[in-house]
Amino acid sequence: MAALVASAGQAPRVERRPELAAGRFAAEPVRVVVVDARGALAAGLAVAQALGPAVEGRRGAMLVLLSRNDADAAGAARDAGATSVMVSPFGSDSFSTALHLAGRHADRLAAAAAAPLPPDSSQVDRLTGLASAERLQNWLAEQRAAEIPCGVIVIGVGRFAQINTIYGRDVADRLLAVIARRLGPIADSRTPSGELRLLSRLTAAEYAIGISGAGAADKLERLARQMLRGFERPFAIDNRLTHVSGRAGIAWDDGSMDGDPASVATALLREASIALSDARGREPGAVARFHQESDREALARRADLESDLFGALKDGGITILFQPQASLSDGVVGGVEALSRWDHSLHGRLSAVTLLETAASAELALAVGRHIRSRAIATAAAWTGALANLKISLNVTAADLADPEFIASLAKDLASSGLSPRRLVIEVTEEAIINDLDAAAATLSLLRRDGVGIALDDFGAGYSSLARLARLARLPVDTIKLDRSFAQGLTGNERERIVVEGMIATARRLGLTVVAEGIEDDVQLAAARAAGCQWVQGYCVAPPLDQTALTAFCNRRKSKSSVA
């Protein structure tokens, strides 16, 4: 391989040990990498994936070589970071050409980064070098005027606002540029004859690709998923690997949309954005396609809810309920979790999920979080009698932790209400902290220093929790709340019970208090007690209660010695 590179007029730098490849690349002034995965597919793909972010950050190119028997792994190689792929057998001339093209690709990326903007800069996005939103709209109008069927995929980047808040605009801008460089080769790859594509940046954290051609309609969803797979690898910014997610919305015009070309192009982009708003309510990597009436109705309802939420923050439309937590040793209620509901004048009582999703889409997530915390703290501070010493648990999100005003706002609420910090517990989820554990630890440590309790909520949901427990152990956490799926494991088969009981035993050895959430019946309750949980929360104790019902419940419980 070194001889082939040399015969192509290049100076080879060879690294034979896969585990040293990333460090070697970082130390060498090279921008073109050849990964020889012939006869060693798994190792080759692992090297490509390890090098991908660094090559991308250097505006370089990566050529991956595959054996004939592994030709169907070309897509996996591209997903791992390859900008081009060669399948053996090939001769020195073919290899030389491929190496030359890889070098040209790297040169173009470097030139694009250094080149001044063209006179008509409205057609080019300044930050990424992609087509601008205006250029994409004009392009879609051109396809419609030429009577060519066309569609658009709008891709939204998740967690971007949080990254912008935590690391600053410079890092966020560079992230957007790196995302553009990764999406570019995916958008350009394997374009059939007669099919046209145009990749653009729409807004701060949205990209779009226009696609036209008679057979393109059937490829939209597959292309969208290929683009979203580009988000599965982290992005290298400076010496930091940054994880973001992507979701996509799709719209297609087969020529039947009413209006002139410009209005059709506008409508097409709007419909793809409507579909994206649907995808944002699903898991990362979700793809949603626009459907005429149902999507318009859903968007209209969401817009109405967003508008109504502003009023709910002012007129007290958000209700706070309290779900008791009882000791498994003596049945005493020692605390409650504050849970929010939205009492809507038209739709009735809406769930916390609807409230939080609407708050996020209306850019009111921080305001809603502050509103709920302030009211809950003030309410608990005024409790007397059986409620006087109850601890109150409040949920916080990743956005709350990233808010520079979070600590000060919480301190202000405690001071103005008179609630002791030792009666307050902050609940955070693994998902809210796992992407930036150090920043979360710093914020939570400040709270813990002042006496506030820290609980890890929904522990185990969606993760391999035994593997993560050691890493999470360095957080200033004193309580873990087992995800409700663990309650099912407590009464499941023997293997499920062993896993859950092992988790509880490990947590207790670390000095953590264990709360079992979602306990619904006496069988689960007995299993939680036998497994070593100290506290329990769920309908077997009580549903979420308003303050009047909570007072009556706690007065009744004072004479009881065990959980019913």
Side-chain angles (χ1 to χ4, degrees):
M1 183 51 56
L4 280 175
V5 172
S7 68
Q10 305 294 323
R13 290 171 168 83
V14 180
E15 178 54 62
R16 295 177 174 85
R17 298 176 62 183
E19 67 274 15
L20 300 181
R24 181 70 182 273
F25 178 78
E28 298 278 6
V30 299
R31 289 178 35 242
V32 177
V33 173
V34 179
V35 177
D36 190 356
R38 293 174 297 174
L41 179 63
L45 291 180
V47 169
Q49 189 161 16
L51 289 175
V55 172
E56 191 173 58
R58 199 177 285 184
R59 293 183 171 86
M62 185 192 301
L63 171 62
V64 174
L65 309 180
L66 298 176
S67 300
R68 177 189 297 175
N69 293 338
D70 294 327
D72 57 354
R78 289 190 178 90
D79 290 343
T83 56
S84 56
V85 176
M86 283 194 76
V87 178
S88 63
F90 50 79
S92 58
D93 290 343
S94 297
F95 177 79
S96 179
T97 299
L99 197 63
H100 176 68
L101 292 175
R104 284 184 59 186
H105 175 77
D107 290 341
R108 282 197 301 270
L109 289 176
L117 288 173
D120 185 9
S121 59
S122 66
Q123 302 294 295
V124 178
D125 176 62
R126 286 177 174 272
L127 185 62
T128 64
L130 299 177
S132 65
E134 181 179 338
R135 172 65 188 124
L136 176 62
Q137 187 156 338
N138 291 340
W139 184 87
L140 291 169
E142 291 165 5
Q143 306 308 302
R144 176 56 187 256
E147 299 183 349
I148 301 174
C150 60
V152 65
I153 303 167
V154 175
I155 297 172
V157 181
R159 293 188 67 244
F160 180 75
Q162 181 184 350
I163 288 168
N164 197 9
T165 300
I166 296 173
Y167 301 118
R169 181 174 177 178
D170 179 61
V171 170
D173 284 351
R174 279 184 284 159
L175 173 62
L176 292 172
V178 172
I179 291 173
R181 292 200 295 274
R182 184 175 295 181
L183 295 181
I186 301 173
D188 293 339
S189 66
R190 291 181 272 181
T191 304
S193 176
E195 182 179 302
L196 299 176
R197 298 178 185 176
L198 180 67
L199 181 63
S200 72
R201 176 171 169 243
L202 294 184
T203 64
E206 288 186 6
Y207 300 81
I209 178 169
I211 179 171
S212 69
D218 297 333
K219 302 170 186 174
L220 277 173
E221 186 166 340
R222 184 168 69 246
L223 177 60
R225 296 195 184 281
Q226 288 172 349
M227 304 280 279
L228 293 176
R229 281 204 297 273
F231 290 88
E232 293 176 358
R233 292 182 288 121
F235 296 88
I237 310 296
D238 297 331
N239 295 321
R240 179 187 299 112
L241 290 179
T242 302
H243 297 262
V244 293
S245 60
R247 296 171 177 82
I250 296 173
W252 176 257
D253 171 33
D254 59 4
S256 62
M257 293 179 69
D258 295 330
D260 60 80
S263 63
V264 168
T266 300
L268 199 57
L269 282 167
R270 184 174 64 250
E271 289 179 355
S273 295
I274 292 172
L276 175 60
S277 70
D278 180 18
R280 287 189 189 278
R282 307 183 196 176
E283 70 285 352
V287 177
R289 185 181 287 267
F290 176 79
H291 299 288
Q292 293 287 341
E293 295 306 321
S294 59
D295 281 356
R296 290 188 190 281
E297 290 174 1
L299 188 68
R301 183 175 186 268
R302 180 173 298 181
D304 288 342
L305 287 176
E306 290 174 1
S307 178
D308 294 340
L309 184 55
F310 284 90
L313 288 172
K314 295 178 180 179
D315 62 20
I318 297 176
T319 296
I320 300 177
L321 303 177
F322 306 93
Q323 187 166 35
Q325 299 166 347
S327 168
L328 278 169
S329 63
D330 57 17
V332 171
V333 174
V336 295
E337 179 181 354
L339 302 170
S340 57
R341 301 291 186 266
W342 183 2
D343 287 322
H344 194 279
S345 59
L346 178 62
H347 302 294
R349 176 158 287 184
L350 301 177
S351 69
V353 172
T354 300
L355 170 61
L356 297 178
E357 287 180 352
T358 304
S361 62
E363 299 184 351
L364 288 173
L366 292 180
V368 168
R370 291 190 194 118
H371 175 86
I372 293 171
R373 288 193 297 273
S374 179
R375 284 186 52 202
I377 288 173
T379 300
W383 283 342
T384 59
L387 277 58
N389 296 316
L390 292 183
K391 290 188 175 183
I392 182 164
S393 298
L394 302 177
N395 294 285
V396 300
T397 65
D400 292 323
L401 291 177
D403 178 12
E405 303 298 321
F406 173 67
I407 296 290
S409 173
L410 203 60
K412 180 180 178 182
D413 290 335
L414 288 170
S416 61
S417 68
L419 183 74
S420 168
R422 298 191 179 280
R423 287 182 57 200
L424 178 62
V425 177
I426 292 298
E427 296 190 6
V428 296
T429 64
E430 287 181 86
E431 184 179 6
I433 60 177
I434 203 67
N435 286 319
D436 200 340
L437 207 60
D438 292 336
T443 299
L444 297 176
S445 293
L446 291 174
L447 296 174
R448 193 72 187 87
R449 182 193 63 189
D450 293 335
V452 175
I454 308 296
L456 200 56
D457 194 18
D458 294 338
F459 188 72
Y463 295 103
S464 177
S465 301
L466 283 169
R468 291 183 181 266
L469 191 56
R471 186 180 178 198
L472 294 168
R474 59 191 174 95
L475 287 169
V477 170
D478 42 46
T479 300
I480 65 170
K481 299 184 72 176
L482 299 180
D483 179 66
R484 63 182 60 249
S485 62
F486 276 31
Q488 300 171 354
L490 286 168
T491 56
N493 60 43
E494 184 177 1
R495 288 189 174 186
E496 290 176 313
R497 290 197 303 275
I498 289 173
V499 170
V500 178
E501 289 171 359
M503 176 69 64
I504 295 169
T506 302
R508 294 196 61 172
R509 289 185 65 188
L510 290 170
L512 301 174
T513 299
V514 181
V515 180
E517 284 191 288
I519 302 298
E520 307 292 342
D521 54 41
D522 291 343
V523 175
Q524 292 179 343
L525 182 64
R529 182 183 286 110
C533 296
Q534 293 123 307
W535 292 82
V536 64
Q537 178 181 337
Y539 277 75
C540 72
V541 178
L545 304 170
D546 61 28
Q547 182 168 312
T548 301
L550 178 65
T551 302
F553 176 80
C554 289
N555 284 331
R556 291 196 305 270
R557 299 285 295 205
K558 287 179 69 176
S559 62
K560 296 191 176 182
S561 59
S562 63
V563 178

